[in-house]
Amino acid sequence: MDVGMMMIFSSYGWEGCPDGQVWEEELRLARIAAESGFDCLWSAEHHFNDYSFVPDNIQLMTYLAAACPGIDVGTAAVILPWHDPLRVAENAAVLDLLSKGRFRFGMGRGLARREFEAFRVSMDESRERFDEAAPMIIEALRTGFIEGKGKFYKQPRIELRPRPQHSFEGRIYAVASSEDSVNSAAKLGAHMVMFADRPWEMRQPVIERGRALHRQYHGTEPPTLMMTEFVICGTDLARCEEEAYRYQGKFVESNFHHYEFLGEHFASVKGYDSYQQKADLARKAGGLEGAVKGFMQAASWGTPEKILRGLEARRTLLGDFELNVSFRFGGTPYDVAERGLRLFAKEVLPVLKSWGKASTGQAAA
């Protein structure tokens, strides 16, 4: 199994935590992960708020590619509606050149209304912008030339310099949670990226739909799904449960606050119907409290043995997947985050890496 570490860069849940300390702690964990056998370092793109602040994750990964030369680096994800496709393609080509082919390029369309407003981009356009920009960028990284004649990006044909040096085959990822986003990922031939926020049985139909669409579009088996989640790992199960409820719960709170999941605006924004359904389900399940319980059912927490049992059950349900885990979120003290990272690396990671390919019958066809 391919296992990466996700970096959030958040101060939500910490009292008086300066931005510089947030970045120092995340980078310290990144170096530990790189030295402990993880396959990739990942980061989201977020702006302006304590929920997460990584305004340029390609820039961040360029630094980490040099600081941690023995590990891949990845974006989960670059939010395409907030960027010019030409600049994204150029920056991705430079990072891949400098990292000698270690860059995994992940894309998304964005979800937070406050971020779209600050960039003066309508959320109603996000799906169209993503679906127009993503193929332009992928083709540019494949051929070294970019052009566009669509509604939003009328790009004259121009060559990227430096030219892309390595094939991106198998290194394209796309955030996919809804029916339309798994369709977009399937068209691109990308790894679907999902975040653990509800029981995986609820996600299985969408996952299998994405896999079926990939087979339909390309006539090949789909790339492995990447699951991103938020881990509390320790030797004392009762203590881990208490920590998970506190810190995973605080992360869910930050998520609901940042994305306004208890609001009604998703119902009136084009292409975000599935998120309105999530908001409606959250209200029916008891609001934030119900969402925390659902999150804890999906996420990994506890002793290494408990975490491994949960991942084995998930693999039986869904087949092979890549895993992307975060240890610093929701006010988690640095010593708890480092404890979890080191114990996970010592006792969980070697087992995951020993797993062979899941048998064909384990995932629904």
Side-chain angles (χ1 to χ4, degrees), residues 1 27 35 52 54 57 59 70 92 131 145 153 164 177 209 283 294 296 303 311-312 314-315 319 350 357 360:
M1 177 184 285
L27 293 175
E35 295 165 356
S52 173
V54 186
N57 49 6
Q59 181 185 29
D131 287 344
F145 290 87
Y153 307 111
S177 294
R209 174 64 175 159
R283 276 190 287 272
M296 287 185 64
T303 63
L311 293 172
E312 286 171 350
R314 190 183 308 175
R315 187 165 173 257
K357 188 172 179 60
T360 307

Side-chain angles (χ1 to χ4, degrees), residues 166-189:
H166 310 277
S167 170
F168 271 84
E169 184 72 26
R171 294 192 285 136
I172 300 295
Y173 292 71
V175 175
S177 294
S178 61
E179 287 283 352
D180 62 332
S181 60
V182 299
N183 185 52
S184 293
K187 285 182 178 178
L188 297 170

Side-chain angles (χ1 to χ4, degrees), residues 1-5 33-34 36-42 70-73 102 104 323 349 353:
M1 177 184 285
D2 187 281
V3 185
M5 191 187 81
S36 301
F38 283 79
D39 295 293
C40 190
L41 298 171
W42 294 91
I71 190 170
D72 284 3
V73 294
R102 289 185 287 127
R104 306 185 192 185
L323 188 63
L349 191 59
K353 287 185 169 294

Side-chain angles (χ1 to χ4, degrees), residues 308-328:
L308 282 167
R309 286 201 309 268
L311 293 172
E312 286 171 350
R314 190 183 308 175
R315 187 165 173 257
T316 299
L317 176 70
L318 300 174
D320 290 320
F321 56 88
E322 296 180 18
L323 188 63
N324 185 22
V325 292
S326 175
F327 299 95
R328 187 194 180 281

Side-chain angles (χ1 to χ4, degrees), residues 348-362:
V348 179
L349 191 59
V351 178
L352 298 181
K353 287 185 169 294
S354 74
W355 286 357
K357 188 172 179 60
S359 63
T360 307
Q362 284 182 304

Side-chain angles (χ1 to χ4, degrees), residues 109-124:
R109 66 165 170 151
L111 182 59
R113 177 167 59 173
R114 64 189 73 208
E115 291 177 284
F116 275 94
E117 288 175 346
F119 281 110
R120 308 170 304 283
V121 174
S122 169
M123 285 184 72
D124 288 322

